[in-house]
Amino acid sequence: MSPLKILLTLILSYLLGSIATAVWAGKIFHKVDVREHGSRNAGATNVIRVLGWKTGVPVLLIDVFKGWTAAMLPVFFNLAGDGTAMITNYQILAGMAVVTGHIFPVFAGFRGGKGVATISGVLLAIQPLLTISCLGVFLCVLLISGYVSLSSMIAGIAFPVFLFLFFGSPSIFFKIFSVVVAIALIFTHRNNISRLLRGEESKLIRKKS
């Protein structure tokens, strides 16, 4: 274990998160700052609403890839043995750094997105099957309700539930992290919750009448 490698991992993870995909894609290809339109969130969902699927899907994939790459840095730097609780702990720290960068990007005035896609990439690197299971929950709720915000929150709640009931982990830190993620997703979507309760939340998928 090298303190220098750990510090480098955290710095690189934060800088990866600070790659403001939604903001840059809007400004470069459409001359639009998505933070001034739609939900005013610098995330893939708002990009899809404001700029369309052709721009939004690449933004989504890049944001997921940012998270996955950051979570794999501890493995790349060989900070601990594969499959150990310690390597998982380092991956979580890297994940926290990349999500912090996504929410508060140094390259975009510290005004970023909510980090759902990026945290999904982190979890995909740490627990692929668990993440895919939560993705299934997300898609089911999205197809039924049409709301990305509601789908994200329910999938986030499913994460610790599935972890504790079906998957498990050698890392106590990861189990605590799963609960923190669920709470954080609800907190970052508090404005969406208010709009949902008022019936004012925009749907990504609208059922044809």
Side-chain angles (χ1 to χ4, degrees):
M1 181 183 70
S2 167
L4 183 59
K5 284 185 178 180
I6 295 172
L7 180 61
L8 180 61
T9 295
L10 295 177
I11 292 173
L12 289 177
S13 296
Y14 173 78
L15 293 177
L16 271 172
S18 289
I19 296 173
T21 322
V23 176
W24 293 353
K27 288 185 175 181
I28 293 171
F29 298 109
H30 301 272
K31 309 301 180 186
V32 167
D33 187 341
V34 294
R35 296 173 298 182
E36 305 301 327
H37 301 273
S39 67
R40 301 182 184 275
N41 178 54
T45 302
N46 197 39
V47 173
I48 291 171
R49 287 198 191 104
V50 176
L51 305 176
W53 288 90
K54 289 184 179 179
T55 304
V57 171
V59 167
L60 172 65
L61 294 176
I62 292 171
D63 284 349
V64 171
F65 185 67
K66 290 191 310 188
W68 183 88
T69 302
M72 292 305 294
L73 285 177
V75 178
F76 176 78
F77 287 126
N78 196 28
L79 296 183
D82 290 345
T84 63
M86 189 57 69
I87 194 66
T88 301
N89 293 344
Y90 285 133
Q91 287 181 293
I92 292 168
L93 288 175
M96 293 171 66
V98 72
V99 171
T100 299
H102 181 85
I103 297 173
F104 305 107
V106 68
F107 302 133
F110 300 99
R111 291 173 56 211
K114 294 174 181 173
V116 177
T118 304
I119 195 65
S120 298
V122 172
L123 300 178
L124 190 62
I126 299 173
Q127 279 265 21
L129 291 179
L130 172 58
T131 306
I132 292 170
S133 299
C134 293
L135 176 61
V137 171
F138 173 88
L139 292 175
C140 286
V141 177
L142 180 62
L143 291 173
I144 293 170
S145 70
Y147 295 115
V148 172
S149 57
L150 182 63
S151 304
S152 299
M153 287 186 284
I154 293 179
I157 293 169
F159 170 42
V161 174
F162 286 178
L163 176 64
F164 280 89
L165 292 181
F166 306 115
F167 291 92
S169 171
S171 170
I172 298 298
F173 191 22
F174 186 62
K175 293 176 180 178
I176 296 171
F177 177 70
S178 71
V179 176
V180 172
V181 166
I183 295 171
L185 280 176
I186 294 172
F187 177 77
T188 57
H189 285 84
R190 60 194 182 279
N191 292 331
N192 302 84
I193 293 172
S194 297
R195 289 194 294 269
L196 283 166
L197 293 174
R198 295 195 304 267
E200 298 173 356
E201 181 77 338
S202 298
K203 289 187 175 183
L204 184 67
I205 298 176
R206 298 182 181 275
K207 295 181 180 179
K208 294 182 181 179
S209 55

